[in-house]
Amino acid sequence: MRRTTVLRIALTTGLLAGAATLGLTQAAAGEAPLTATASRAPASSAVLAAMQHDLGLTRQQATTRLAEETAARGVERDARRVAGASYGGSWFDAGSGRLIVAVTKAASRNAVEATGARVTLVEHSQRQLDSTMARVDALDAPAGVSSWHVDPRANSVVVNVVSAHKDDNDVRAFVARARASGPVVVRQTDRAPRTYAAGTVGGDPYYTGNVRCSIGFSVYGGFVTAGHCAQPGAGVSGWDHSYIGNFQGSSFPDNDYAWVNVGSGWWTVPVVLGWGTVSDQLVRGSGEAPVGASICRSGSTSHWHCGNVLAKNETVNYSQGAVHQMTKTSVCAEPGDSGGSFISGDQAQGVTSGGWGNCTSGGQTWYQPVNEILNRYGLTLHTA
């Protein structure tokens, strides 16, 4: 296959074609081939530049932040273990560059601090907050309620209400029932979320019926993407309308994930497209980034953008129904970006589901965590 063809596929499908690892990494990087040494650096110059642009950081601040966030992932795992039932959640604090861990018992402080985390005392444990979240999930939410999630910083479940509908009778009734279920606070948002599928547009990554969506991450045997893009059995074609495969599993609403098998001359590599904004990124794992961490998204419409993780385990109330266990970010997205990749450093995070706003005026976007998708379908992430 000619190099120009490889690059064309890279820029429109997220699946790079090649027969050997060396060829794949060269095609993925365009004019600057990725080497083992370069790919293990904290980040490429282009990724650092994107963080500078989207997060308002200097180059040194971006480099330092990535290193701090990598350390925080390990601290979070250890801190949760030693805190035990006292664990009340955690988040990355960009100001201090450290993970903050909430605990309900002062006796847990020393052990948790020994992991490298800062500690704050709270009233409610993660288990109590999750129980409240489950009770709110069981309620029937009206359209004026946009989402709800466990917020460790507020030590509560946060219910987000669209400002224009805050005084609607059904919204007020939902809020009253939610507050009766446990520790709940209410916040207002300007817009309601929507999914980011789009009608067919020539030259974009993949089509199913008259819908265009974006590829998330390569897995052995296919790729993962958003469930609202199609039902099981639906055929998928690439940018050139050649057949790729079929949706093997799909769930929406309740969840928003799916996977597609890959064949007919197409195959997968562990790469997320940078769309010329940054170099194409190798995927080396799926370590979960904490709340507060920086994160970037790749999609077929708005391409590459970065932001921060705002919340985890949020239920998003789309017009088609509620979707659970989502992660909220400050990254923008637009129709056609659905299913695309969320990545932190070289770690896969999730597939784009929906949000509000756009990449001109800004907005928020949710993703379905990738590890949940892998576990649900018994898939293995394709890593470098």
Side-chain angles (χ1 to χ4, degrees), residues 23-100:
L24 293 173
T25 55
Q26 288 176 337
E31 296 181 2
L34 293 174
T35 65
T37 300
S39 65
R40 295 183 186 276
S44 69
S45 295
V47 168
L48 294 174
M51 292 180 68
Q52 290 174 248
H53 179 270
D54 289 345
L55 299 178
L57 304 175
T58 66
R59 183 181 180 86
Q60 183 57 51
Q61 287 171 334
T63 301
T64 300
R65 180 159 174 176
L66 284 174
E68 292 169 342
E69 290 172 355
T70 299
R73 287 198 293 268
V75 171
E76 183 178 39
R77 180 182 59 252
D78 295 338
R80 180 189 288 265
R81 175 178 52 80
V82 300
S86 177
Y87 182 75
S90 61
W91 61 95
F92 177 76
D93 177 54
S96 65
R98 295 175 64 187
L99 188 76
I100 300 178

Side-chain angles (χ1 to χ4, degrees), residues 133 137 146-151 160 193-196 225-228 251-257 288-289 291 295 309-318 320-329 338-339 342 349-356 364-370 372-373:
M133 181 72 179
D137 276 341
S146 66
S147 65
W148 52 96
H149 69 276
V150 171
D151 186 344
N160 297 296
R194 60 191 175 107
T195 55
Y196 279 133
T225 186
H228 69 262
S251 178
F252 180 79
D254 187 29
N255 305 293
D256 194 5
Y257 51 60
E288 186 177 342
V291 170
I295 195 165
V309 177
L310 300 179
K312 294 184 180 182
N313 191 24
E314 181 152 26
T315 298
V316 181
N317 192 33
Y318 293 128
Q320 301 95 327
V323 177
H324 304 94
Q325 296 179 320
M326 301 263 271
T327 298
K328 178 166 66 176
T329 75
S338 279
F342 267 92
Q349 298 298 310
V351 299
T352 303
S353 174
W356 60 265
Q364 295 178 341
T365 305
W366 283 262
Y367 66 80
Q368 187 89 66
V370 69
E372 180 182 357
I373 309 172

